[in-house]
Amino acid sequence: MKGTKLLHTLIYWNHSRLMYLKHMHNFFLIVLFRKFRGSLKICSKSIIFEPDDNIQPIIKIPLRDCISIKAPEDNEANNPFTRNTHGGISVVCNQVFLIKERNVIAPYKTVRGRAEHLFQLDVAGKVGDVVQTLHQLYRASCLDKMGDQAAMITAILQSRLARTSFDKNRFQSISETLHMECKAEMVTPLVTNPGHVCVSDANLYFQPLNGYPKPVVQITLQNVRRIYKRRHGLMPLGLEVFCTENDLCSDIYLKFYSCQDRDEVYRLIAKYIENHIAEHTAESYVLQWQRGHISNYQYLLHLNNLADRSCNDLSQYPVFPWIIADYSSSELDLTKPETFRDLSKPVGALNKERLDRLVTRYQEMPEPKFMYGSHYSSPGYVLFYLVRVAPEYMLCLQNGKFDHADRMFNSIAETWKNCLDGATDFKELIPEFYENDSSFLVNSLKLDLGKRQGGKMVEDVELPPWASGPDDFLQKSQEALESPYVSEHLHEWIDIIFGYKQKGSEAVAAHNVFHPLTYEGGVDLNSILDPNEKVALLTQILEFGQTPKQLFTTPHPQRKIQKWKSLSRTSSHSISIAESPVSPNEESFEDLTEESITLAWNNIAKLKLDKQYKIHKEAITGIAVTCNGSSVFTTSQDSTLKMFSKDSKTIQRSVSFSNMALSSCIILPGDTTVITSSWDNHIYFYSIAFGRQQDVLLGHDDAVSKICWRDGHLFSASWDSTVKVWHCPGETLSNKKHHFELLAQLEHDVSVNTIDLNAANTILASGTKEGTISVWDITTATMLHQLPRHSGTVFHTAFSPDSRHLLSAGEDCFKVIDVQTGMVVSSVTTEEPQRCFKWDGNTILSGSQSGELLVWDLLGGKVTERIKGHTGAVTAMWMNEQCNSVITGGEDKQIMFWKLQY
């Protein structure tokens, strides 16, 4: 493979006619005279003539093999073979390559010997410009050093771009307003096309300098769905635009000449994307994947996109894992763990004997150390898999030749075995193995890919016994990728490829160390002053392969398919939940209750105001309701605890424990006691039956902000920067304060504003006034995670019903945290603070600073309904177990009763 073949710049293109003459011994001798139309392409290192008649071969003339390039002289006007060639260009060379002769894709045919090719342009006036460009490129090709060649080609290209600008006549409408114009290149596999980018108020345009393959590429901004900043050639200069949500390939990939231009185009396009997040992050997809709303395939596709992997860049092609390890059985059993590859290890570590040899070599190696001498993804590996559908790329990459027949992609089983046993073969797969197009497995083009040892021709890829054909192989591969086993282990592979085991000591421990140059930031090209050294280094990196951008620095959360019976993939790779095999008469009460809760949350936007009452003199801070729903207890900053009767619609009791604000309230099981927290540092116990204060606990050195009760334990949060855990024996409390035994004190750096407990009463989450979220194991009183995630106060935190996730509401956004790993798996920016909320893991009902109730699609990251509510902030919220009745309290001193109306 030649690195110089990885990037070919198309500089000039025009329609022309070719007249071909043979020149021998300094005399023109008529050996062959042909004349046919076609397209003349001037690339950075060659001249290419592509005939309109596809029976004729494409002619490629390397500039370094040229002897002379000129327009025919006037004294040759009487030559019968150059007569009537006004607008012609003569190219004399030592050798040419003939490509696709008789329209057959095959290794290039090399024709050596001195020959002249006469190109007659349709536009004669361009001859001078073309000849001048060819002379400049020819001089560049003759330079000894690659760096000097690249520098001169760049200068030629920039000079041509500077003399041109975007043609405004190409605008779709005369009313369009120009926002920005700059120079850039359109990137496709192995070729970049220079030109001008223009962004108007309606469209993104790219006009190729050479007008090829079409005069202008136009994308309507309203159609753009995704945009990604890309690292191209190790530099942050790329931008890829998609007009679809889940497609593998983009609509255009642009490489800019400055990071500032790239970022400005990104900004202009981003404004037109609905609910666009300023920068796409992996966390925006983690929760969707964990909850089964996107498939394993879709999630891997998103991660590849975020990690700079693109189908337009063979050196950074999307990487997918080997999943199946069984290629010999007649039936594929996806219920057996041994059917699958160990996803916790890189390919190079799957074979212990080979790994032992690699580790020994690694330990003896001087710095910089690396374990593997080749990468798991490179241009050569990509085209190894795709040679049957992209043979011309393979020929371009390998100097016009196919690889040796025995090294071709001949068999799935052989390829897997070589990845396990080969001394230098550690490649993973590409997304096509989990797509629906099986053409890359079939030699439908009838290519002559050579003959293997033993005389067998290379034809279709040999499939495992369990696959009845190419389509069946892909279908079973998809089923394997979406299987429960892979769903529960895929996070381990993500840790290796995109995550915390990609670099550093964790990579060493996981036997996942590649050459330092393959990693982002492994080399700073801007710091290398020698152009030859820079080009050589870049070429080496592009050939060897590049490690994806690191997306995660902490362990990736696991996906657990809990109650889904099966998952199926449609053609668009969406997830669907199959019908449950359980018959209706077998459904338990719990199943019916869960169905009713799901129904309620699916209709939560239909919440309607039933009644409202102004019962306090200041903002309401807490709401608690008795089991039968007849009595509502509320606390307020007016220092009172009130008991409101839903039946009589009157305040039945009003109690004041001190002249300081009360901050929250809870009712103990049995509806006998109400506990309230106060800004006077105390916690008060009120007996409902006796109508009096039953007990008091001086629990903190500053205001008590929030309390929780579970199984005889009281949890109190305070502005004194602590959360305390108290043991209260028995649910009927006496006046003796010594009954409150302090079991644990969880220290924080700043005031704690809110707390919540998981369903098992083993994990506590706290949120502070400075935006920090802490997750604690209360069985050992140790901190599991501390996350500075919000700017300003954390108003509320709550675990999901399955306790796997924690949602927090701050002044700036909602954050969802995976409890096991501490990773933020979703983040939704809010226009205003959300003061309180309820959620079911997917949907949020929140009370806003402005008084509205908002319904949020957490996975979609957007508000789906706004419900007019309080005047001023919603400060407290209660929801019943069936999730169809809600009570809110606000700064307007009112409580509001809400009901679902299906």
Side-chain angles (χ1 to χ4, degrees):
M1 259 183 278
K2 297 293 184 183
T4 56
K5 298 291 182 183
L6 287 180
L7 206 59
H8 215 39
T9 304
L10 182 59
I11 295 177
Y12 202 103
W13 170 82
N14 206 337
H15 288 292
S16 65
R17 287 179 292 174
L18 170 66
M19 285 174 283
Y20 178 86
L21 301 95
K22 183 83 173 186
H23 189 226
M24 299 177 61
H25 306 297
N26 296 322
F27 292 97
F28 283 105
L29 178 67
I30 308 175
V31 173
L32 182 66
F33 185 88
R34 289 181 293 175
K35 184 175 182 179
F36 40 89
R37 288 187 59 81
S39 302
L40 179 67
K41 302 175 183 179
I42 300 175
C43 299
S44 51
K45 299 190 177 185
S46 61
I47 304 168
I48 296 175
F49 181 79
E50 188 170 342
D52 292 343
D53 182 0
N54 60 17
I55 297 300
Q56 302 296 334
I58 297 170
I59 296 173
K60 178 178 179 180
I61 307 172
L63 285 166
R64 66 176 182 272
D65 292 327
C66 290
I67 298 171
S68 72
I69 302 170
K70 63 182 179 180
E73 301 292 341
D74 291 337
N75 58 13
E76 295 183 2
N78 294 324
N79 189 317
F81 307 114
T82 59
R83 189 181 300 154
N84 300 322
T85 59
H86 181 59
I89 300 171
S90 169
V91 178
V92 180
C93 60
N94 282 323
Q95 72 171 353
V96 299
F97 297 106
L98 303 183
I99 304 171
K100 286 185 73 174
E101 196 166 11
R102 300 187 180 278
N103 201 32
V104 175
I105 301 173
Y108 299 171
K109 181 180 178 181
T110 304
V111 179
R112 293 183 174 87
R114 186 183 178 99
E116 180 179 16
H117 301 264
L118 184 62
F119 302 97
Q120 185 178 3
L121 304 187
D122 283 354
V123 182
K126 291 187 175 181
V127 169
D129 184 30
V130 174
V131 171
Q132 181 185 20
T133 300
L134 284 171
H135 284 164
Q136 292 172 336
L137 292 170
Y138 170 72
R139 288 196 295 272
S141 71
C142 293
L143 296 173
D144 292 333
K145 296 182 178 179
M146 294 289 293
D148 295 336
Q149 288 185 25
M152 188 169 180
I153 290 170
T154 300
I156 295 167
L157 176 59
Q158 291 299 319
S159 175
R160 291 191 61 83
L161 285 170
R163 298 198 302 270
T164 58
S165 61
F166 183 84
D167 181 4
K168 308 301 188 299
N169 292 322
R170 296 290 181 180
F171 276 1
Q172 291 288 301
S173 168
I174 58 173
S175 62
E176 281 186 67
T177 302
L178 174 67
H179 285 329
M180 180 186 180
E181 179 183 346
C182 64
K183 298 176 288 185
E185 296 176 12
M186 185 172 69
V187 179
T188 56
L190 302 181
V191 176
T192 63
N193 208 345
H196 296 273
V197 168
C198 184
V199 184
S200 74
D201 57 346
N203 295 288
L204 166 69
Y205 297 96
F206 176 76
Q207 187 172 32
L209 180 64
N210 43 55
Y212 182 85
K214 54 185 180 179
V216 68
V217 178
Q218 177 254 328
I219 293 175
T220 303
L221 295 177
Q222 295 289 356
N223 293 339
V224 175
R225 293 293 174 266
R226 295 176 288 142
I227 51 175
Y228 296 96
K229 293 179 180 179
R230 292 279 184 245
R231 174 183 50 148
H232 185 271
L234 302 188
M235 302 293 286
L237 299 173
L239 183 70
E240 195 159 21
V241 181
F242 293 78
C243 292
T244 57
E245 291 292 351
N246 296 307
D247 278 6
L248 183 63
C249 297
S250 64
D251 290 81
I252 193 169
Y253 186 154
L254 297 169
K255 175 211 166 187
F256 295 82
Y257 297 110
S258 78
C259 188
Q260 292 76 16
D261 285 346
R262 190 274 306 268
D263 291 346
E264 179 62 13
V265 171
Y266 179 97
R267 185 188 68 81
L268 291 170
I269 298 174
K271 294 191 301 184
Y272 290 85
I273 303 179
E274 184 182 2
N275 300 310
H276 177 69
I277 301 171
E279 291 283 352
H280 278 285
T281 58
E283 70 183 35
S284 60
Y285 297 111
V286 176
L287 184 63
Q288 294 185 54
W289 173 70
Q290 278 193 293
R291 297 253 174 224
H293 288 257
I294 59 175
S295 65
N296 291 338
Y297 172 89
Q298 288 172 318
Y299 187 48
L300 290 177
L301 207 59
H302 287 309
L303 294 185
N304 273 283
N305 270 321
L306 293 167
D308 286 337
R309 314 302 284 191
S310 167
C311 290
N312 286 305
D313 186 350
L314 295 182
S315 68
Q316 296 190 96
Y317 203 80
V319 56
F320 270 61
W322 284 97
I323 292 295
I324 300 168
D326 178 6
Y327 295 102
S328 59
S329 299
S330 58
E331 296 291 334
L332 186 66
D333 188 348
L334 298 180
T335 64
K336 294 163 55 178
E338 54 267 29
T339 297
F340 300 94
R341 165 256 183 105
D342 185 346
L343 289 164
S344 68
K345 299 176 181 179
V347 169
L350 293 175
N351 182 327
K352 188 178 184 307
E353 291 183 8
R354 180 179 64 178
L355 178 63
D356 289 342
R357 294 193 299 269
L358 291 168
V359 169
T360 300
R361 188 189 69 172
Y362 172 79
Q363 292 170 343
E364 296 171 351
M365 186 182 294
E367 296 291 345
K369 292 174 177 284
F370 55 91
M371 204 161 290
Y372 306 112
S374 63
H375 207 258
Y376 51 77
S377 176
S378 70
Y381 288 158
V382 172
L383 295 180
F384 168 84
Y385 291 124
L386 297 180
V387 63
R388 289 168 177 80
V389 290
E392 290 165 288
Y393 290 159
M394 170 75 81
L395 292 171
C396 180
L397 193 68
Q398 300 205 145
N399 293 318
K401 299 177 182 178
F402 290 125
D403 204 350
H404 189 279
D406 287 302
R407 291 196 296 267
M408 298 290 276
F409 181 30
N410 293 303
S411 159
I412 303 290
E414 282 183 16
T415 302
W416 168 244
K417 185 177 186 303
N418 203 51
C419 289
L420 286 181
D421 302 334
T424 60
D425 194 348
F426 314 108
K427 58 179 172 285
E428 292 278 8
L429 296 182
I430 55 177
E432 281 79 358
F433 279 80
Y434 304 102
E435 276 281 354
N436 297 311
D437 183 0
S438 62
S439 58
F440 75 101
L441 299 170
V442 182
N443 188 14
S444 57
L445 297 175
K446 303 303 179 185
L447 303 169
D448 183 358
L449 299 173
K451 186 181 295 184
R452 304 185 64 183
Q453 289 181 4
K456 186 177 180 180
M457 296 298 295
V458 176
E459 292 292 346
D460 298 347
V461 177
E462 184 179 330
L463 302 174
W466 46 257
S468 62
D471 290 341
D472 186 54
F473 171 78
L474 292 190
Q475 177 64 31
K476 286 185 168 66
S477 296
Q478 291 174 13
E479 291 170 1
L481 179 61
E482 305 301 339
S483 66
Y485 178 89
V486 174
S487 291
E488 292 190 5
H489 292 273
L490 188 58
H491 66 286
E492 298 171 333
W493 186 82
I494 293 170
D495 284 336
I496 292 169
I497 304 299
F498 302 105
Y500 81 112
K501 291 183 179 180
Q502 188 195 89
K503 298 178 181 178
S505 59
E506 293 287 353
V508 175
H511 304 117
N512 192 39
V513 183
F514 294 86
H515 194 285
L517 291 179
T518 69
Y519 296 93
E520 183 179 32
V523 61
D524 180 8
L525 288 180
N526 291 325
S527 67
I528 301 175
L529 301 179
D530 184 344
N532 299 301
E533 181 185 351
K534 182 182 293 188
V535 169
L537 199 59
L538 179 59
T539 300
Q540 179 184 350
I541 293 167
L542 294 180
E543 284 187 359
F544 186 87
Q546 296 178 65
T547 300
K549 178 191 294 183
Q550 188 176 25
L551 301 178
F552 308 103
T553 55
T554 57
H556 192 284
Q558 185 179 20
R559 184 189 201 192
K560 291 184 178 178
I561 310 299
Q562 291 182 322
K563 295 189 178 181
W564 307 328
K565 304 299 183 292
S566 66
L567 294 172
S568 63
R569 286 262 302 278
T570 66
S571 59
S572 60
H573 298 102
S574 62
I575 277 288
S576 63
I577 301 177
E579 293 290 334
S580 170
V582 181
S583 60
N585 59 1
E586 291 177 334
E587 287 186 309
S588 66
F589 176 76
E590 288 77 10
D591 291 333
L592 293 172
T593 301
E594 186 170 337
E595 284 184 10
S596 67
I597 292 173
T598 301
L599 180 64
W601 275 104
N602 287 343
N603 291 276
I604 201 70
K606 297 177 181 177
L607 208 60
K608 302 296 182 184
L609 180 62
D610 185 30
K611 298 179 179 63
Q612 61 189 91
Y613 306 95
K614 185 175 181 179
I615 61 173
H616 282 280
K617 296 179 181 179
E618 296 293 340
I620 293 168
T621 57
I623 302 172
V625 181
T626 55
C627 289
N628 60 12
S630 62
S631 297
V632 178
F633 288 85
T634 57
T635 52
S636 168
Q637 290 183 5
D638 65 9
S639 78
T640 63
L641 167 70
K642 294 185 185 291
M643 185 175 82
F644 181 84
S645 171
K646 286 183 65 178
D647 297 330
S648 64
K649 302 178 180 56
T650 58
I651 298 173
Q652 293 189 328
R653 298 181 191 177
S654 180
V655 183
S656 182
F657 302 108
S658 73
N659 60 358
M660 299 285 283
L662 299 179
S663 57
S664 66
C665 63
I666 52 177
I667 300 178
L668 295 189
D671 291 345
T672 58
T673 303
V674 177
I675 309 179
T676 66
S677 54
S678 173
W679 284 7
D680 69 0
N681 311 353
H682 290 77
I683 299 168
Y684 296 95
F685 297 78
Y686 176 79
S687 170
I688 298 174
F690 296 102
R692 60 180 173 81
Q693 179 179 315
Q694 183 173 324
D695 212 334
V696 63
L697 170 64
L698 176 57
H700 290 272
D701 298 326
D702 204 338
V704 183
S705 53
K706 186 73 180 288
I707 51 175
C708 296
W709 176 277
R710 295 284 175 82
D711 295 337
H713 293 83
L714 176 68
F715 303 83
S716 59
S718 171
W719 295 354
D720 68 3
S721 305
T722 66
V723 173
K724 294 183 179 181
V725 184
W726 309 86
H727 178 51
C728 306
E731 293 179 359
T732 302
L733 301 169
S734 70
N735 292 319
K736 297 181 180 179
K737 294 181 175 55
H738 64 268
H739 284 166
F740 302 107
E741 178 188 357
L742 180 61
L743 299 179
Q745 181 167 307
L746 311 179
E747 297 287 348
H748 296 67
D749 295 330
V750 293
S751 299
V752 183
N753 198 57
T754 184
I755 54 173
D756 190 47
L757 284 164
N758 70 343
N761 306 326
T762 55
I763 306 292
L764 179 142
S766 58
T768 70
K769 284 193 171 184
E770 293 189 2
T772 301
I773 302 293
S774 299
V775 180
W776 302 80
D777 180 345
I778 55 178
T779 63
T780 59
T782 56
M783 184 185 294
L784 301 176
H785 314 291
Q786 187 173 56
L787 312 161
R789 293 301 182 188
H790 290 279
S791 59
T793 300
V794 179
F795 291 111
H796 192 48
T797 61
F799 287 91
S800 59
D802 61 9
S803 297
R804 292 178 60 201
H805 296 110
L806 175 72
L807 178 66
S808 59
E811 295 182 10
D812 52 350
C813 63
F814 286 115
K815 296 279 188 182
V816 182
I817 298 166
D818 181 81
V819 175
Q820 181 182 11
T821 64
M823 179 187 291
V824 173
V825 295
S826 184
S827 179
V828 180
T829 302
T830 57
E831 296 177 355
E832 59 178 337
Q834 303 300 305
R835 298 286 297 272
C836 54
F837 65 81
K838 297 292 179 180
W839 75 311
D840 71 337
N842 300 314
T843 304
I844 306 171
L845 175 68
S846 68
S848 69
Q849 184 73 26
S850 62
E852 289 182 309
L853 297 189
L854 303 182
V855 179
W856 299 78
D857 173 9
L858 182 58
L859 301 176
K862 59 184 178 182
V863 175
T864 58
E865 190 69 32
R866 293 177 178 270
I867 305 170
K868 184 174 175 59
H870 293 264
T871 303
V874 183
T875 52
M877 183 181 292
W878 172 90
M879 178 182 278
N880 67 344
E881 287 186 6
Q882 291 74 34
C883 304
N884 57 14
S885 178
V886 174
I887 304 174
T888 58
E891 285 184 341
D892 58 4
K893 310 157 193 176
Q894 295 190 93
I895 56 172
M896 292 184 173
F897 293 83
W898 306 82
K899 285 187 177 180
L900 275 185
Q901 296 182 1
Y902 298 109

